[in-house]
Amino acid sequence: MRRALVWLGFGFACWLVPRPAVASGFSVAHFASEHGHPTTENATALYFNPAALTLADGLHVFADLSVAVRRVTYDRPRAKTDAPDPPDALNANVGRAELVNPLVNPVLAASLKLGQLSLGAGFFTPLGGMVSWNKRPEFAGSRYPGVVDGVTRFQSIEGDIVTSQFSLGGALRVAGTGLSLGVSGSVLRSWIDDVRGWSNGGNDVTKEGRSLLQVSGYSFGFGLGALYEVSPQVLWLGVSYQSRPNVSGGMRLHGSLDNDIGGPSSAHVDVAYDLPDVIRWGARYRPRRSLELRAFGDYTRFSAFKNQCVVRAGQSCALGPNGAEAMGGQVLQNVPRDFKDSFGVRLGVSIWPSQSFEFFSGLGYESSAVPDSTFEPGLPDWAGVSFALGARLALSRRVHAALSYTHFVYVPRDVHSRLAQFSSPSQSPDASGHYTQQVGVGNLNVDFAF
């Protein structure tokens, strides 16, 4: 019965696959709130630092759920490259766009310690971005039906880009030392669902159509980690590395591209792109049993994410200068990204008023991975700080539950995009303007010890 409940929980987690974007680039690896880091004692160590699996005794099953509410606004001014508005669709490409999206991210992980050896398994979604922009009711019933989808429609009406993974790993405590070494391997599933407007690379409402991209695929990755317990039960230092999907070969997703631009058309396509590897570090200090101090951070090499290239199935993404197609007819769409490396740092504290109750808090900063040049409503990104408060309670000797809230405060961005300056098939309407974002995340997790 116990085994059946574990697998039922895993299946439920897979069904609830998330689409949030609350951190640099579109990283959503905030599992376990303030207790998700490279020196953690829970089973999310499999993702953050597999060497830390050695810190938990016996068998543990860890279930984690983050629920976020995200609000984004975009005020778009008129651009020099805009097509003229017809008299009955004035300001169709000018004004405010807004989204308010609820977002869900589940995690299920387990760890087992067998003497000096520890094993782990888990389901995580470390990378995800989702947008679904509100309609513009003032254009309902217009003779140009596309304009009701708002000023973002040529970059995004709604869509998501997600990478989830199932991981297995192990760690070994080196006998007679405080050193643990760990390794993990992962199978990753990535997919993109994207609906956007298209008008020969511009935003002419009189020639506007729709484009639907649906692709998915599998890749693999690995993680390495080390943990050193400098002073037993007092000070821990950890460092880890998480590889890119497919390590260095990039990703290739398969599916379809359906267009309705002056008539329906469909093609079997591949999407080629690359995602980052991550270096993490952490330190945890417990000068007395009722107090713990934490510091941890990451460096995410988002510079690997150069572009998303849609090609006919089996073809290569051959692009010339400024995103122009170098092989006729093979590249159908290309979204320039040109992300840059990002980093995050975080400080945390835990206080135990009693043996069964923990109060914790944290403060962090994350940089932005998206430059102005390719910033657009389909995958927006901000630098910002976050504040967290939470508590963890021992419900019994074998069950602990934690509840927390994290609020993200982002710096508004005045973007001067150069998307309109790219050559076809990379060209897209100007995405310049004023962007803001607000995000609040609630987290609930339960740790079962057996």
Side-chain angles (χ1 to χ4, degrees):
M1 179 64 177
R2 182 179 297 171
R3 181 179 299 176
L5 288 173
V6 171
W7 281 106
L8 178 62
F10 176 74
F12 180 66
C14 292
W15 177 69
L16 279 176
V17 170
R19 296 163 177 83
V22 298
S24 58
F26 50 108
S27 170
V28 289
H30 287 276
F31 323 131
S33 186
E34 295 303 298
H35 289 294
H37 51 79
T39 61
T40 188
E41 295 180 331
N42 64 59
T44 63
L46 177 63
Y47 179 79
F48 291 110
N49 179 6
L53 288 169
T54 60
L55 294 179
D57 292 325
L59 171 64
H60 287 258
V61 176
F62 186 84
D64 181 272
L65 182 68
S66 295
V67 179
V69 176
R70 178 186 184 218
R71 180 176 183 265
V72 179
T73 67
Y74 168 39
D75 292 288
R76 187 183 190 278
R78 191 169 300 280
K80 294 180 180 179
T81 55
D82 284 355
D85 292 336
D88 50 353
L90 291 176
N91 297 321
N93 294 313
V94 177
R96 168 164 286 203
E98 183 176 4
L99 67 80
V100 179
N101 294 162
L103 312 164
V104 179
N105 192 351
V107 166
L108 188 63
S111 65
L112 174 64
K113 189 170 185 179
L114 303 167
Q116 302 299 311
L117 176 67
S118 296
L119 304 174
F123 168 83
F124 310 94
T125 296
L127 296 167
M130 179 268 191
V131 292
S132 180
W133 292 94
N134 293 347
K135 305 292 186 182
R136 293 184 76 179
E138 66 268 31
F139 287 107
S142 170
R143 65 178 292 195
Y144 306 105
V147 299
V148 74
D149 288 323
V151 298
T152 68
R153 64 193 185 279
F154 293 105
Q155 285 89 21
S156 178
I157 297 171
E158 62 180 15
D160 48 75
I161 173 172
V162 179
T163 295
S164 295
Q165 66 186 58
F166 178 71
S167 302
L168 296 173
L172 181 67
R173 178 74 175 249
V174 180
T177 75
L179 179 65
S180 297
L181 300 175
V183 63
S184 66
S186 302
V187 175
L188 300 92
R189 182 177 182 265
S190 301
W191 69 93
I192 300 173
D193 287 308
D194 181 73
V195 180
R196 65 179 60 198
W198 191 256
S199 182
N200 295 321
N203 55 7
D204 186 344
V205 304
T206 67
K207 301 177 181 178
E208 183 176 338
R210 286 295 177 268
S211 175
L212 169 62
L213 176 68
Q214 294 180 305
V215 294
S216 63
Y218 290 88
S219 55
F220 70 92
F222 71 89
L224 301 173
L227 179 81
Y228 186 58
E229 191 170 10
V230 179
S231 179
Q233 301 300 311
V234 175
L235 177 62
W236 299 262
L237 303 176
V239 62
S240 68
Y241 172 79
Q242 183 69 44
S243 76
R244 296 179 185 176
N246 285 335
V247 185
S248 62
M251 303 168 64
R252 198 171 183 93
L253 312 187
H254 312 285
S256 63
L257 176 65
D258 296 294
N259 293 325
D260 189 356
I261 305 171
S265 64
S266 181
H268 294 290
V269 299
D270 296 341
V271 176
Y273 65 106
D274 204 354
L275 291 178
D277 49 355
V278 186
I279 300 169
R280 292 186 173 88
W281 59 271
R284 184 159 59 94
Y285 177 53
R286 200 160 183 178
R288 55 181 183 270
R289 294 187 63 180
S290 61
L291 175 65
E292 181 176 281
L293 304 175
R294 294 178 295 273
F296 52 96
D298 64 81
Y299 184 79
T300 305
R301 300 205 295 176
F302 263 114
S303 56
F305 195 26
K306 299 295 185 184
N307 63 309
Q308 288 172 265
C309 193
V310 184
V311 298
R312 295 187 184 275
Q315 301 299 318
S316 62
C317 181
L319 294 172
N322 204 29
E325 186 179 357
M327 289 179 62
Q330 304 306 320
V331 182
L332 303 178
Q333 291 180 0
N334 183 60
V335 181
R337 293 301 184 188
D338 292 329
F339 278 20
K340 57 186 179 181
D341 294 347
S342 65
F343 70 93
V345 293
R346 195 159 195 87
L347 301 175
V349 60
S350 288
I351 298 172
W352 282 263
S354 67
Q355 187 175 358
S356 62
F357 181 78
E358 173 192 358
F359 172 79
F360 58 85
S361 181
L363 169 66
Y365 170 81
E366 291 170 336
S367 69
S368 172
V370 183
D372 275 9
S373 59
T374 61
F375 195 102
E376 49 96 357
L379 202 59
D381 182 53
W382 287 260
V385 297
S386 58
F387 309 87
L389 291 173
R392 188 170 184 260
L393 178 65
L395 302 179
S396 71
R397 187 170 63 89
R398 296 182 179 275
V399 181
H400 291 75
L403 181 66
S404 65
Y405 175 78
T406 304
H407 192 76
F408 293 80
V409 179
Y410 295 98
V411 179
R413 290 189 65 163
D414 290 299
V415 171
H416 302 285
S417 170
R418 66 179 184 94
L419 287 172
Q421 301 174 19
F422 285 95
S423 300
S424 181
S426 301
Q427 194 173 27
S428 179
D430 194 304
S432 299
H434 182 73
Y435 293 80
T436 69
Q437 176 174 248
Q438 301 174 43
V439 176
V441 181
N443 179 268
L444 172 66
N445 61 69
V446 183
D447 186 30
F448 301 92
F450 300 95

